[in-house]
Amino acid sequence: MFLRIRELREEKGYTQVRMGELLECSQRVYSNYECGDIDIPTRILIRLADLYDVSVDYLLGRTDSKETNR
């Protein structure tokens, strides 16, 4: 999962600082999400999925399909 959020962030051209702004957390907290040092809260997972237009299952590594059920 953690590699996926980094790859998605880099694909969008966002920095960790920008992600912190978008998710209303600090860059350090976001970095900890990417490194797997802390668990990502559900509300943040949902926001990430919406931001990247992927499913939460994709973020969690439960599927390799980025498609959402919308």
Side-chain angles (χ1 to χ4, degrees), residues 5 9 15-26 29-31 33-34 40-41 43-52:
I5 64 170
R9 174 180 62 79
T15 63
Q16 288 184 348
V17 171
R18 180 64 179 138
M19 290 305 300
E21 292 168 352
L22 291 170
L23 299 173
E24 300 175 357
C25 65
S26 69
V29 168
Y30 182 80
S31 176
Y33 294 155
E34 272 194 11
I40 303 174
R43 69 178 184 81
I44 299 294
L45 280 172
I46 292 168
R47 289 176 78 178
L48 286 167
D50 288 345
L51 177 68
Y52 296 129

PDB file of all heavy atoms in Angstrom, residues 5 9 15-26 29-31 33-34 40-41 43-52:
ATOM      1  N   ILE A   5       0.837   4.650  -2.650  1.00  0.00           N
ATOM      2  CA  ILE A   5       0.503   6.061  -2.436  1.00  0.00           C
ATOM      3  C   ILE A   5       1.674   6.957  -2.851  1.00  0.00           C
ATOM      4  O   ILE A   5       1.457   8.065  -3.310  1.00  0.00           O
ATOM      5  CB  ILE A   5      -0.005   6.373  -1.011  1.00  0.00           C
ATOM      6  CG1 ILE A   5       1.045   6.130   0.050  1.00  0.00           C
ATOM      7  CG2 ILE A   5      -1.298   5.637  -0.712  1.00  0.00           C
ATOM      8  CD1 ILE A   5       0.643   6.651   1.426  1.00  0.00           C
ATOM      9  N   ARG A   9       1.283   9.675  -5.823  1.00  0.00           N
ATOM     10  CA  ARG A   9       1.666  11.065  -5.533  1.00  0.00           C
ATOM     11  C   ARG A   9       2.654  11.574  -6.585  1.00  0.00           C
ATOM     12  O   ARG A   9       2.490  12.674  -7.125  1.00  0.00           O
ATOM     13  CB  ARG A   9       2.287  11.169  -4.136  1.00  0.00           C
ATOM     14  CG  ARG A   9       2.839  12.554  -3.819  1.00  0.00           C
ATOM     15  CD  ARG A   9       3.444  12.647  -2.438  1.00  0.00           C
ATOM     16  NE  ARG A   9       4.570  11.778  -2.218  1.00  0.00           N
ATOM     17  CZ  ARG A   9       5.832  12.020  -2.634  1.00  0.00           C
ATOM     18  NH1 ARG A   9       6.103  13.104  -3.331  1.00  0.00           N
ATOM     19  NH2 ARG A   9       6.803  11.165  -2.353  1.00  0.00           N
ATOM     20  N   THR A  15       4.226  17.053  -4.025  1.00  0.00           N
ATOM     21  CA  THR A  15       5.228  16.839  -2.988  1.00  0.00           C
ATOM     22  C   THR A  15       4.529  16.331  -1.728  1.00  0.00           C
ATOM     23  O   THR A  15       3.296  16.411  -1.612  1.00  0.00           O
ATOM     24  CB  THR A  15       5.949  18.148  -2.633  1.00  0.00           C
ATOM     25  OG1 THR A  15       4.988  19.070  -2.088  1.00  0.00           O
ATOM     26  CG2 THR A  15       6.638  18.759  -3.846  1.00  0.00           C
ATOM     27  N   GLN A  16       5.312  15.841  -0.789  1.00  0.00           N
ATOM     28  CA  GLN A  16       4.722  15.438   0.489  1.00  0.00           C
ATOM     29  C   GLN A  16       4.136  16.642   1.210  1.00  0.00           C
ATOM     30  O   GLN A  16       3.108  16.520   1.883  1.00  0.00           O
ATOM     31  CB  GLN A  16       5.759  14.745   1.372  1.00  0.00           C
ATOM     32  CG  GLN A  16       6.133  13.371   0.906  1.00  0.00           C
ATOM     33  CD  GLN A  16       7.085  12.671   1.840  1.00  0.00           C
ATOM     34  OE1 GLN A  16       7.666  13.268   2.747  1.00  0.00           O
ATOM     35  NE2 GLN A  16       7.241  11.373   1.629  1.00  0.00           N
ATOM     36  N   VAL A  17       4.749  17.795   1.053  1.00  0.00           N
ATOM     37  CA  VAL A  17       4.211  19.020   1.666  1.00  0.00           C
ATOM     38  C   VAL A  17       2.825  19.316   1.097  1.00  0.00           C
ATOM     39  O   VAL A  17       1.884  19.599   1.847  1.00  0.00           O
ATOM     40  CB  VAL A  17       5.167  20.219   1.441  1.00  0.00           C
ATOM     41  CG1 VAL A  17       4.517  21.522   1.880  1.00  0.00           C
ATOM     42  CG2 VAL A  17       6.483  20.001   2.164  1.00  0.00           C
ATOM     43  N   ARG A  18       2.692  19.225  -0.225  1.00  0.00           N
ATOM     44  CA  ARG A  18       1.386  19.479  -0.864  1.00  0.00           C
ATOM     45  C   ARG A  18       0.348  18.470  -0.396  1.00  0.00           C
ATOM     46  O   ARG A  18      -0.808  18.832  -0.143  1.00  0.00           O
ATOM     47  CB  ARG A  18       1.530  19.441  -2.396  1.00  0.00           C
ATOM     48  CG  ARG A  18       0.240  19.697  -3.122  1.00  0.00           C
ATOM     49  CD  ARG A  18      -0.287  21.094  -2.878  1.00  0.00           C
ATOM     50  NE  ARG A  18      -1.520  21.304  -3.605  1.00  0.00           N
ATOM     51  CZ  ARG A  18      -2.581  21.932  -3.110  1.00  0.00           C
ATOM     52  NH1 ARG A  18      -2.542  22.456  -1.905  1.00  0.00           N
ATOM     53  NH2 ARG A  18      -3.663  22.062  -3.825  1.00  0.00           N
ATOM     54  N   MET A  19       0.745  17.210  -0.280  1.00  0.00           N
ATOM     55  CA  MET A  19      -0.198  16.191   0.189  1.00  0.00           C
ATOM     56  C   MET A  19      -0.656  16.498   1.612  1.00  0.00           C
ATOM     57  O   MET A  19      -1.833  16.334   1.936  1.00  0.00           O
ATOM     58  CB  MET A  19       0.427  14.794   0.122  1.00  0.00           C
ATOM     59  CG  MET A  19       0.619  14.293  -1.287  1.00  0.00           C
ATOM     60  SD  MET A  19      -0.883  14.313  -2.281  1.00  0.00           S
ATOM     61  CE  MET A  19      -1.938  13.241  -1.335  1.00  0.00           C
ATOM     62  N   GLY A  20       0.274  16.943   2.439  1.00  0.00           N
ATOM     63  CA  GLY A  20      -0.106  17.340   3.793  1.00  0.00           C
ATOM     64  C   GLY A  20      -1.148  18.449   3.778  1.00  0.00           C
ATOM     65  O   GLY A  20      -2.117  18.425   4.542  1.00  0.00           O
ATOM     66  N   GLU A  21      -0.963  19.405   2.882  1.00  0.00           N
ATOM     67  CA  GLU A  21      -1.935  20.495   2.750  1.00  0.00           C
ATOM     68  C   GLU A  21      -3.289  19.962   2.305  1.00  0.00           C
ATOM     69  O   GLU A  21      -4.325  20.335   2.862  1.00  0.00           O
ATOM     70  CB  GLU A  21      -1.433  21.533   1.751  1.00  0.00           C
ATOM     71  CG  GLU A  21      -0.214  22.300   2.216  1.00  0.00           C
ATOM     72  CD  GLU A  21       0.438  23.114   1.110  1.00  0.00           C
ATOM     73  OE1 GLU A  21       0.033  22.974  -0.072  1.00  0.00           O
ATOM     74  OE2 GLU A  21       1.362  23.881   1.425  1.00  0.00           O
ATOM     75  N   LEU A  22      -3.281  19.096   1.304  1.00  0.00           N
ATOM     76  CA  LEU A  22      -4.540  18.553   0.781  1.00  0.00           C
ATOM     77  C   LEU A  22      -5.268  17.692   1.812  1.00  0.00           C
ATOM     78  O   LEU A  22      -6.495  17.657   1.846  1.00  0.00           O
ATOM     79  CB  LEU A  22      -4.275  17.727  -0.481  1.00  0.00           C
ATOM     80  CG  LEU A  22      -3.824  18.509  -1.714  1.00  0.00           C
ATOM     81  CD1 LEU A  22      -3.368  17.553  -2.810  1.00  0.00           C
ATOM     82  CD2 LEU A  22      -4.946  19.396  -2.217  1.00  0.00           C
ATOM     83  N   LEU A  23      -4.495  16.996   2.639  1.00  0.00           N
ATOM     84  CA  LEU A  23      -5.099  16.078   3.618  1.00  0.00           C
ATOM     85  C   LEU A  23      -5.224  16.698   5.003  1.00  0.00           C
ATOM     86  O   LEU A  23      -5.669  16.043   5.938  1.00  0.00           O
ATOM     87  CB  LEU A  23      -4.256  14.797   3.692  1.00  0.00           C
ATOM     88  CG  LEU A  23      -4.162  14.008   2.389  1.00  0.00           C
ATOM     89  CD1 LEU A  23      -3.169  12.853   2.547  1.00  0.00           C
ATOM     90  CD2 LEU A  23      -5.517  13.496   1.951  1.00  0.00           C
ATOM     91  N   GLU A  24      -4.813  17.957   5.099  1.00  0.00           N
ATOM     92  CA  GLU A  24      -4.882  18.688   6.373  1.00  0.00           C
ATOM     93  C   GLU A  24      -4.086  17.992   7.473  1.00  0.00           C
ATOM     94  O   GLU A  24      -4.574  17.768   8.583  1.00  0.00           O
ATOM     95  CB  GLU A  24      -6.333  18.926   6.784  1.00  0.00           C
ATOM     96  CG  GLU A  24      -7.108  19.730   5.765  1.00  0.00           C
ATOM     97  CD  GLU A  24      -8.574  19.871   6.097  1.00  0.00           C
ATOM     98  OE1 GLU A  24      -9.041  19.299   7.091  1.00  0.00           O
ATOM     99  OE2 GLU A  24      -9.271  20.558   5.317  1.00  0.00           O
ATOM    100  N   CYS A  25      -2.854  17.640   7.125  1.00  0.00           N
ATOM    101  CA  CYS A  25      -1.923  17.072   8.102  1.00  0.00           C
ATOM    102  C   CYS A  25      -0.538  17.627   7.775  1.00  0.00           C
ATOM    103  O   CYS A  25      -0.352  18.283   6.756  1.00  0.00           O
ATOM    104  CB  CYS A  25      -1.926  15.542   8.067  1.00  0.00           C
ATOM    105  SG  CYS A  25      -1.308  14.813   6.529  1.00  0.00           S
ATOM    106  N   SER A  26       0.425  17.362   8.618  1.00  0.00           N
ATOM    107  CA  SER A  26       1.770  17.853   8.355  1.00  0.00           C
ATOM    108  C   SER A  26       2.488  16.969   7.339  1.00  0.00           C
ATOM    109  O   SER A  26       2.081  15.826   7.097  1.00  0.00           O
ATOM    110  CB  SER A  26       2.576  17.887   9.660  1.00  0.00           C
ATOM    111  OG  SER A  26       2.836  16.559  10.102  1.00  0.00           O
ATOM    112  N   VAL A  29       3.638  13.774   9.086  1.00  0.00           N
ATOM    113  CA  VAL A  29       2.600  12.749   9.228  1.00  0.00           C
ATOM    114  C   VAL A  29       2.389  12.045   7.893  1.00  0.00           C
ATOM    115  O   VAL A  29       2.334  10.814   7.829  1.00  0.00           O
ATOM    116  CB  VAL A  29       1.278  13.362   9.753  1.00  0.00           C
ATOM    117  CG1 VAL A  29       0.128  12.370   9.633  1.00  0.00           C
ATOM    118  CG2 VAL A  29       1.436  13.811  11.194  1.00  0.00           C
ATOM    119  N   TYR A  30       2.312  12.829   6.810  1.00  0.00           N
ATOM    120  CA  TYR A  30       2.129  12.205   5.506  1.00  0.00           C
ATOM    121  C   TYR A  30       3.302  11.292   5.169  1.00  0.00           C
ATOM    122  O   TYR A  30       3.118  10.189   4.662  1.00  0.00           O
ATOM    123  CB  TYR A  30       1.921  13.240   4.390  1.00  0.00           C
ATOM    124  CG  TYR A  30       1.689  12.542   3.088  1.00  0.00           C
ATOM    125  CD1 TYR A  30       0.442  12.017   2.788  1.00  0.00           C
ATOM    126  CD2 TYR A  30       2.735  12.291   2.208  1.00  0.00           C
ATOM    127  CE1 TYR A  30       0.231  11.286   1.627  1.00  0.00           C
ATOM    128  CE2 TYR A  30       2.541  11.567   1.050  1.00  0.00           C
ATOM    129  CZ  TYR A  30       1.290  11.063   0.770  1.00  0.00           C
ATOM    130  OH  TYR A  30       1.102  10.320  -0.361  1.00  0.00           O
ATOM    131  N   SER A  31       4.500  11.728   5.452  1.00  0.00           N
ATOM    132  CA  SER A  31       5.688  10.906   5.211  1.00  0.00           C
ATOM    133  C   SER A  31       5.592   9.589   5.983  1.00  0.00           C
ATOM    134  O   SER A  31       5.946   8.522   5.467  1.00  0.00           O
ATOM    135  CB  SER A  31       6.949  11.662   5.625  1.00  0.00           C
ATOM    136  OG  SER A  31       8.091  10.848   5.473  1.00  0.00           O
ATOM    137  N   TYR A  33       2.856   8.057   6.731  1.00  0.00           N
ATOM    138  CA  TYR A  33       1.901   7.219   6.002  1.00  0.00           C
ATOM    139  C   TYR A  33       2.613   6.491   4.865  1.00  0.00           C
ATOM    140  O   TYR A  33       2.457   5.282   4.696  1.00  0.00           O
ATOM    141  CB  TYR A  33       0.767   8.048   5.386  1.00  0.00           C
ATOM    142  CG  TYR A  33      -0.181   8.736   6.328  1.00  0.00           C
ATOM    143  CD1 TYR A  33      -0.874   9.868   5.912  1.00  0.00           C
ATOM    144  CD2 TYR A  33      -0.399   8.275   7.620  1.00  0.00           C
ATOM    145  CE1 TYR A  33      -1.767  10.511   6.743  1.00  0.00           C
ATOM    146  CE2 TYR A  33      -1.284   8.928   8.458  1.00  0.00           C
ATOM    147  CZ  TYR A  33      -1.961  10.045   8.022  1.00  0.00           C
ATOM    148  OH  TYR A  33      -2.848  10.686   8.852  1.00  0.00           O
ATOM    149  N   GLU A  34       3.393   7.234   4.096  1.00  0.00           N
ATOM    150  CA  GLU A  34       4.096   6.637   2.954  1.00  0.00           C
ATOM    151  C   GLU A  34       5.099   5.569   3.375  1.00  0.00           C
ATOM    152  O   GLU A  34       5.270   4.579   2.678  1.00  0.00           O
ATOM    153  CB  GLU A  34       4.835   7.720   2.148  1.00  0.00           C
ATOM    154  CG  GLU A  34       4.002   8.359   1.096  1.00  0.00           C
ATOM    155  CD  GLU A  34       4.804   9.172   0.092  1.00  0.00           C
ATOM    156  OE1 GLU A  34       6.041   9.104   0.051  1.00  0.00           O
ATOM    157  OE2 GLU A  34       4.150   9.905  -0.672  1.00  0.00           O
ATOM    158  N   ILE A  40      -2.798   4.513   8.238  1.00  0.00           N
ATOM    159  CA  ILE A  40      -3.555   5.612   7.636  1.00  0.00           C
ATOM    160  C   ILE A  40      -5.003   5.517   8.094  1.00  0.00           C
ATOM    161  O   ILE A  40      -5.654   4.490   7.886  1.00  0.00           O
ATOM    162  CB  ILE A  40      -3.474   5.545   6.097  1.00  0.00           C
ATOM    163  CG1 ILE A  40      -2.012   5.568   5.644  1.00  0.00           C
ATOM    164  CG2 ILE A  40      -4.267   6.681   5.478  1.00  0.00           C
ATOM    165  CD1 ILE A  40      -1.836   5.359   4.150  1.00  0.00           C
ATOM    166  N   PRO A  41      -5.523   6.572   8.722  1.00  0.00           N
ATOM    167  CA  PRO A  41      -6.923   6.553   9.159  1.00  0.00           C
ATOM    168  C   PRO A  41      -7.879   6.379   7.971  1.00  0.00           C
ATOM    169  O   PRO A  41      -7.574   6.803   6.844  1.00  0.00           O
ATOM    170  CB  PRO A  41      -7.123   7.920   9.807  1.00  0.00           C
ATOM    171  CG  PRO A  41      -5.749   8.424  10.114  1.00  0.00           C
ATOM    172  CD  PRO A  41      -4.855   7.823   9.076  1.00  0.00           C
ATOM    173  N   ARG A  43     -10.595   7.892   7.130  1.00  0.00           N
ATOM    174  CA  ARG A  43     -10.994   9.134   6.456  1.00  0.00           C
ATOM    175  C   ARG A  43      -9.916   9.607   5.485  1.00  0.00           C
ATOM    176  O   ARG A  43     -10.228  10.144   4.421  1.00  0.00           O
ATOM    177  CB  ARG A  43     -11.366  10.235   7.451  1.00  0.00           C
ATOM    178  CG  ARG A  43     -10.222  10.788   8.249  1.00  0.00           C
ATOM    179  CD  ARG A  43     -10.653  11.933   9.199  1.00  0.00           C
ATOM    180  NE  ARG A  43      -9.505  12.481   9.867  1.00  0.00           N
ATOM    181  CZ  ARG A  43      -8.669  13.380   9.332  1.00  0.00           C
ATOM    182  NH1 ARG A  43      -8.884  13.843   8.133  1.00  0.00           N
ATOM    183  NH2 ARG A  43      -7.626  13.835  10.010  1.00  0.00           N
ATOM    184  N   ILE A  44      -8.650   9.374   5.810  1.00  0.00           N
ATOM    185  CA  ILE A  44      -7.554   9.750   4.923  1.00  0.00           C
ATOM    186  C   ILE A  44      -7.490   8.800   3.731  1.00  0.00           C
ATOM    187  O   ILE A  44      -7.260   9.231   2.591  1.00  0.00           O
ATOM    188  CB  ILE A  44      -6.210   9.786   5.674  1.00  0.00           C
ATOM    189  CG1 ILE A  44      -6.231  10.824   6.802  1.00  0.00           C
ATOM    190  CG2 ILE A  44      -5.054  10.033   4.718  1.00  0.00           C
ATOM    191  CD1 ILE A  44      -6.341  12.266   6.346  1.00  0.00           C
ATOM    192  N   LEU A  45      -7.710   7.504   3.960  1.00  0.00           N
ATOM    193  CA  LEU A  45      -7.747   6.544   2.854  1.00  0.00           C
ATOM    194  C   LEU A  45      -8.818   6.928   1.840  1.00  0.00           C
ATOM    195  O   LEU A  45      -8.591   6.881   0.631  1.00  0.00           O
ATOM    196  CB  LEU A  45      -8.012   5.133   3.368  1.00  0.00           C
ATOM    197  CG  LEU A  45      -6.827   4.379   3.949  1.00  0.00           C
ATOM    198  CD1 LEU A  45      -7.289   3.079   4.588  1.00  0.00           C
ATOM    199  CD2 LEU A  45      -5.790   4.107   2.878  1.00  0.00           C
ATOM    200  N   ILE A  46      -9.972   7.311   2.333  1.00  0.00           N
ATOM    201  CA  ILE A  46     -11.075   7.710   1.456  1.00  0.00           C
ATOM    202  C   ILE A  46     -10.704   8.961   0.673  1.00  0.00           C
ATOM    203  O   ILE A  46     -10.938   9.049  -0.536  1.00  0.00           O
ATOM    204  CB  ILE A  46     -12.379   7.902   2.259  1.00  0.00           C
ATOM    205  CG1 ILE A  46     -12.849   6.544   2.790  1.00  0.00           C
ATOM    206  CG2 ILE A  46     -13.462   8.577   1.418  1.00  0.00           C
ATOM    207  CD1 ILE A  46     -13.946   6.632   3.831  1.00  0.00           C
ATOM    208  N   ARG A  47     -10.088   9.926   1.337  1.00  0.00           N
ATOM    209  CA  ARG A  47      -9.679  11.154   0.648  1.00  0.00           C
ATOM    210  C   ARG A  47      -8.619  10.867  -0.414  1.00  0.00           C
ATOM    211  O   ARG A  47      -8.639  11.433  -1.498  1.00  0.00           O
ATOM    212  CB  ARG A  47      -9.181  12.182   1.657  1.00  0.00           C
ATOM    213  CG  ARG A  47     -10.334  12.741   2.500  1.00  0.00           C
ATOM    214  CD  ARG A  47      -9.892  13.676   3.552  1.00  0.00           C
ATOM    215  NE  ARG A  47      -9.614  14.978   2.974  1.00  0.00           N
ATOM    216  CZ  ARG A  47      -9.227  16.031   3.685  1.00  0.00           C
ATOM    217  NH1 ARG A  47      -9.077  15.916   4.990  1.00  0.00           N
ATOM    218  NH2 ARG A  47      -8.985  17.179   3.102  1.00  0.00           N
ATOM    219  N   LEU A  48      -7.670   9.973  -0.101  1.00  0.00           N
ATOM    220  CA  LEU A  48      -6.645   9.593  -1.076  1.00  0.00           C
ATOM    221  C   LEU A  48      -7.275   8.908  -2.288  1.00  0.00           C
ATOM    222  O   LEU A  48      -6.924   9.212  -3.432  1.00  0.00           O
ATOM    223  CB  LEU A  48      -5.609   8.673  -0.441  1.00  0.00           C
ATOM    224  CG  LEU A  48      -4.610   9.322   0.509  1.00  0.00           C
ATOM    225  CD1 LEU A  48      -3.863   8.262   1.308  1.00  0.00           C
ATOM    226  CD2 LEU A  48      -3.638  10.215  -0.251  1.00  0.00           C
ATOM    227  N   ALA A  49      -8.198   8.000  -2.029  1.00  0.00           N
ATOM    228  CA  ALA A  49      -8.876   7.298  -3.120  1.00  0.00           C
ATOM    229  C   ALA A  49      -9.629   8.288  -4.007  1.00  0.00           C
ATOM    230  O   ALA A  49      -9.573   8.198  -5.236  1.00  0.00           O
ATOM    231  CB  ALA A  49      -9.823   6.237  -2.559  1.00  0.00           C
ATOM    232  N   ASP A  50     -10.307   9.240  -3.408  1.00  0.00           N
ATOM    233  CA  ASP A  50     -11.034  10.251  -4.174  1.00  0.00           C
ATOM    234  C   ASP A  50     -10.066  11.140  -4.959  1.00  0.00           C
ATOM    235  O   ASP A  50     -10.303  11.443  -6.130  1.00  0.00           O
ATOM    236  CB  ASP A  50     -11.900  11.118  -3.260  1.00  0.00           C
ATOM    237  CG  ASP A  50     -13.108  10.388  -2.709  1.00  0.00           C
ATOM    238  OD1 ASP A  50     -13.451   9.301  -3.234  1.00  0.00           O
ATOM    239  OD2 ASP A  50     -13.710  10.910  -1.753  1.00  0.00           O
ATOM    240  N   LEU A  51      -8.986  11.547  -4.332  1.00  0.00           N
ATOM    241  CA  LEU A  51      -8.007  12.414  -4.973  1.00  0.00           C
ATOM    242  C   LEU A  51      -7.383  11.751  -6.195  1.00  0.00           C
ATOM    243  O   LEU A  51      -7.220  12.380  -7.240  1.00  0.00           O
ATOM    244  CB  LEU A  51      -6.910  12.786  -3.966  1.00  0.00           C
ATOM    245  CG  LEU A  51      -5.765  13.643  -4.494  1.00  0.00           C
ATOM    246  CD1 LEU A  51      -6.261  15.041  -4.835  1.00  0.00           C
ATOM    247  CD2 LEU A  51      -4.654  13.724  -3.468  1.00  0.00           C
ATOM    248  N   TYR A  52      -7.040  10.482  -6.068  1.00  0.00           N
ATOM    249  CA  TYR A  52      -6.373   9.768  -7.156  1.00  0.00           C
ATOM    250  C   TYR A  52      -7.344   9.010  -8.061  1.00  0.00           C
ATOM    251  O   TYR A  52      -6.923   8.386  -9.020  1.00  0.00           O
ATOM    252  CB  TYR A  52      -5.346   8.790  -6.590  1.00  0.00           C
ATOM    253  CG  TYR A  52      -4.211   9.469  -5.857  1.00  0.00           C
ATOM    254  CD1 TYR A  52      -3.848   9.073  -4.588  1.00  0.00           C
ATOM    255  CD2 TYR A  52      -3.493  10.497  -6.450  1.00  0.00           C
ATOM    256  CE1 TYR A  52      -2.790   9.681  -3.925  1.00  0.00           C
ATOM    257  CE2 TYR A  52      -2.447  11.117  -5.791  1.00  0.00           C
ATOM    258  CZ  TYR A  52      -2.099  10.704  -4.531  1.00  0.00           C
ATOM    259  OH  TYR A  52      -1.060  11.305  -3.866  1.00  0.00           O
TER     260      TYR A  52
END
